[in-house]
Structures are given as C-alpha cells and as structure tokens.
C-alpha cells in the first residue's frame, strides 16, 4: 500500500506541475537523433507507441526496461525494417530473464542507413544547404529491470551508446558524433487488469560534431493499459522535449486457440495522434499494425506502419524463447 501511494503521488506530480519542471530541465533535440524514435521496440512501434506497460522482445530493452523484471524466459531475436524511401533499420538483441536474481538484463544493437538525401534545412557543418548526404547511425543499449519484493512496482534503466555519421556525396567530407544516454522507467500493476507506467528517456549530453554539440530528443512517456477478456487496450501521452506531443492508442488481440499444439496468435495495431497546434495529419498518418505467430517458443512478427517523412515501412521480427 505504501508503494502504491508513493507511485500515485509521483504520477500526479508528473502530470501536473512537475511536468512543466521536467520539461524545462532538458533542451530539445537538434541533431539527427530523432531517428531514435524508431528504436522503441518492434511490438511497441506497431501499437502506435502506446504500450508503456506490457513490453516484449527488444522493447524490454529499448522502451521500458522495468518490464524485464517480470519476464520469465531468455530470448534472442532479430528485426528489420525497409522504408519506402530506402531507409533501412536493423536490430539484434538478447534478453537474460531466467535466473534467481531479483533483476534481469538485456543487450541490443541497432543500425540505420539511408540512401542519398538532399539537405534542405541544415547549415552545419558545411554551410551549403544544397549538399546531398548519406546518413547512418549505430545504437547500442544495455537495459536492466528490478521488481521490489512483495510489491507490484518494477523499475528499470538503460544505458545507450549512440553514434551518427554523415557523408557528403559531393566530396570526401564527413562528420561523426558519439554520445552516451540513459533512460529510467517504472511499472505499477494495480491489479491483474490495470497497469500504469512512466518513462524518461534519452537523457544525455548531446552528440558532438567537431566543436559543436547537438542536443538529443529527450522525452517523457506516461501510459496505462487495461485488459478486457482477450483484448489489451493501451494509451499513452508522449512529450518530446521542446518538440511534439502525442496521444497514442493501441490494441492487442490474443485469442485463446483450443488446440493441443503450442501455438499462439495475436493481431495488434495503433495510432499516434499529434497534439501540437497547427499540425494537420491525414487519418492514415502514423497508423501501424501487425500480426504475431508463435509456435513452440519460436515466433515471428510482421508489421506495416506509416513512419512520417520516411514513408510506409515493412517490418519483420524473428525471436526464440528458451
């Protein structure tokens, strides 16, 4: 009961006056690091970034590592995305859950590459906005989750090492930057149907290119989930510091299949709704969805999503539980 009261107070503070303070202590992201929005876990992305409480797979490391504390099995997996504008994203991860320790951990390595892109807004580093460039990034993350004994509270954190490189096709000039970030998260389970969670992510000093330092897109997420029969309903509020606000909704349907084989099936989808004034979105913008098939601890996720300026993406994830 004590943990429950403390958690409710923290949640109210973050939602009310505390939110304004939290937002004021971070600068908005100015680097190419908004690509980090891609790296919140396969299932979570296709739930419209609405899932704060019931992470799975790489989302346990990248999005809310507090969920690692409640996981029961080890897992290895690989995922990939192909965007309509020829941007490619890949991820490989390992999660260690099967141990007697009160905490579990996971490791993930991701990459993103693009075909030639035309510079339209950047004046740094070369000062010539008509340059064409190739963008690539590497992203490593270590997550850990801990559940307090005799309570329904889990906490987690992740440490991320992120690098960007930009190579210009008109010459041999290139720039690269590296940084270290952290994220903290929590999950509180009120009962077997209702959960809530808080995430503060991408807190770091920024990426340094030569003598310039570009800020990261730090963000705060607050979300809830509720289970009705075989349907999980998710919603979240996401504030990218100094940038966009989103209200996200997602649904996951996992029917019980009355067969003797170890087979599971799920359908999921979500929608990101921007809350910034002046934003105009089509109904199909930021819509995503997918299916999951799992047989004898081997699973596959297949999804489609509208990724904004990157266009429609086709995504796949393969994993093995042991």
């Amino acid at each position: 009961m004590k943990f429950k009261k403390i958690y409710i107070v923290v949640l109210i503070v973050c939602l009310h006056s505390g939110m304004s303070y939290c937002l004021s202590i971070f600068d908005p992201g100015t680097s190419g690091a908004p690509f980090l929005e891609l790296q919140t876990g396969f299932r979570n992305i296709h739930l419209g970034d609405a899932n704060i409480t019931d992470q799975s797979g790489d989302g346990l490391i990248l999005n809310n590592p507090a969920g690692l504390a409640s996981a029961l099995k080890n897992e290895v997996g690989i995922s990939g995305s192909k965007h309509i504008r020829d941007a490619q994203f890949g991820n490989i991860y390992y999660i260690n859950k099967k141990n007697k320790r009160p905490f579990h951990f996971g490791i993930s390595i991701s990459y993103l590459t693009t075909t030639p892109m035309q510079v339209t807004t950047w004046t740094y580093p070369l000062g010539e906005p008509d340059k064409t460039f190739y963008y690539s990034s590497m992203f490593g993350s270590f997550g850990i989750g801990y559940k307090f004994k005799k309570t329904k509270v889990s906490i987690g954190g992740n440490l991320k090492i992120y690098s960007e490189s930009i190579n210009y096709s008109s010459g041999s000039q290139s720039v690269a930057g590296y940084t270290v970030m952290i994220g903290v998260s929590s999950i509180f389970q009120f009962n077997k149907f209702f959960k809530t969670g808080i995430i503060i992510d991408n807190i770091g000093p920024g990426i340094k290119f030569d003598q310039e330092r570009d800020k990261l897109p730090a963000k705060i997420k607050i979300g809830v989930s509720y289970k009705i029969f075989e349907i999980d309903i998710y919603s979240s509020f996401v504030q990218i510091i100094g940038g966009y606000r989103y209200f996200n909704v997602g649904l996951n349907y996992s029917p019980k299949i009355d067969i003797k084989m170890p087979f599971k099936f799920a359908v999921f989808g979500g929608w990101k709704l921007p809350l910034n004034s002046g934003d105009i979105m089509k109904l199909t913008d930021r819509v995503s969805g997918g299916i999951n098939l799992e047989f004898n601890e081997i699973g596959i996720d297949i999804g489609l999503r509208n990724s904004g300026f990157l266009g429609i993406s086709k995504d796949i994830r393969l994993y093995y539980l042991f």
Side-chain angles (χ1 to χ4, degrees):
M1 182 61 69
K2 182 179 179 181
F3 275 97
K4 188 174 183 178
K5 290 180 179 179
I6 293 174
Y7 196 90
I8 292 174
V9 170
V10 171
L11 186 61
I12 292 173
V13 169
C14 284
L15 282 172
H16 191 49
S17 60
M19 178 65 79
S20 298
Y21 173 75
C22 289
L23 298 181
S24 68
I25 61 176
F26 302 116
D27 291 320
T30 56
S31 73
F35 283 116
L36 290 172
E37 287 300 295
L38 293 172
Q39 298 160 340
T40 59
F42 187 98
R43 185 71 64 89
N44 183 56
I45 289 175
H46 294 87
L47 284 166
D49 204 18
N51 180 12
I52 306 298
T53 59
D54 293 326
Q55 298 300 310
S56 63
D58 49 351
L60 290 167
I61 309 168
L62 300 173
N63 193 41
N64 193 343
L68 285 165
S70 300
L72 300 175
K73 295 183 178 180
N74 296 336
E75 181 177 342
V76 292
I78 186 170
S79 64
S81 300
K82 176 71 173 179
H83 296 267
I84 200 169
R85 295 189 180 179
D86 292 329
Q88 297 183 43
F89 172 73
N91 171 260
I92 185 169
Y93 66 91
Y94 166 73
I95 296 172
N96 181 283
K97 313 172 185 178
K98 206 171 182 180
N99 56 61
K100 297 181 180 180
R101 297 184 297 271
F103 58 87
H104 299 159
F105 68 89
I107 300 172
S108 171
I109 299 176
S110 309
Y111 77 91
L112 177 73
T113 60
T114 68
T115 54
M117 301 175 68
Q118 195 72 25
V119 178
T120 57
T121 58
W122 290 16
T123 57
Y124 178 81
L126 300 180
E128 299 180 30
D130 59 342
K131 293 285 187 180
T132 299
F133 70 92
Y134 300 82
Y135 175 89
S136 65
S137 66
M138 290 291 294
F139 178 88
S141 181
F142 174 80
I144 188 168
Y146 177 84
K147 187 172 184 178
F148 292 98
K149 294 182 179 180
K150 299 181 180 181
T151 73
K152 298 180 179 180
V153 177
S154 300
I155 61 173
N158 54 28
L159 178 68
K160 307 172 187 177
I161 300 176
Y162 182 79
S163 70
E164 288 181 347
S165 63
I166 305 167
N167 297 283
Y168 287 80
S169 60
S170 57
S172 59
Q173 300 139 319
S174 65
V175 292
Y178 303 88
T179 192
V180 176
M181 301 170 291
I182 61 172
V184 293
S185 64
S186 65
I187 296 174
F188 185 86
Q189 184 168 346
F190 286 87
N191 53 52
K192 63 180 180 179
F193 303 108
F194 180 63
K195 299 178 184 178
T196 184
I198 302 173
I199 301 171
I200 302 176
D201 204 10
N202 295 347
I203 305 168
I207 295 179
K208 189 173 183 179
F209 293 97
D210 293 334
Q211 301 303 314
E212 298 286 335
R213 187 175 291 279
D214 288 339
K215 295 297 182 181
L216 297 162
K219 54 190 173 183
I220 296 176
K221 300 181 179 182
I222 299 175
V224 297
S225 66
Y226 192 80
K227 188 175 184 66
I228 302 176
F229 301 111
E230 298 169 346
I231 299 175
D232 295 292
I233 302 172
Y234 303 99
S235 66
S236 70
F237 170 79
V238 178
Q239 169 72 66
I240 300 175
I241 311 306
Y244 285 101
R245 297 183 180 92
Y246 288 100
F247 176 74
N248 309 322
V249 293
L251 293 174
N252 183 83
Y253 174 56
S254 303
K256 293 182 179 180
I257 301 176
D258 190 17
I259 58 176
K260 295 182 179 180
M261 294 186 297
F263 177 76
K264 296 180 182 179
F265 170 74
V267 179
F268 45 88
W271 184 34
K272 297 182 70 170
L273 176 65
L275 300 178
N276 297 60
S277 61
D279 285 333
I280 300 176
M281 262 186 27
K282 298 178 182 178
L283 291 177
T284 55
D285 285 350
R286 301 292 182 178
V287 172
S288 55
I291 62 171
N292 168 258
L293 301 172
E294 184 179 308
F295 180 76
N296 199 26
E297 313 298 354
I298 299 175
I300 180 172
D301 284 325
I302 300 173
L304 291 172
R305 59 194 163 97
N306 190 330
S307 303
F309 73 97
L310 287 176
I312 304 291
S313 71
K314 296 172 285 186
D315 313 310
I316 188 170
R317 175 173 75 106
L318 300 171
Y319 62 90
Y320 173 59
L321 304 169
F322 60 100

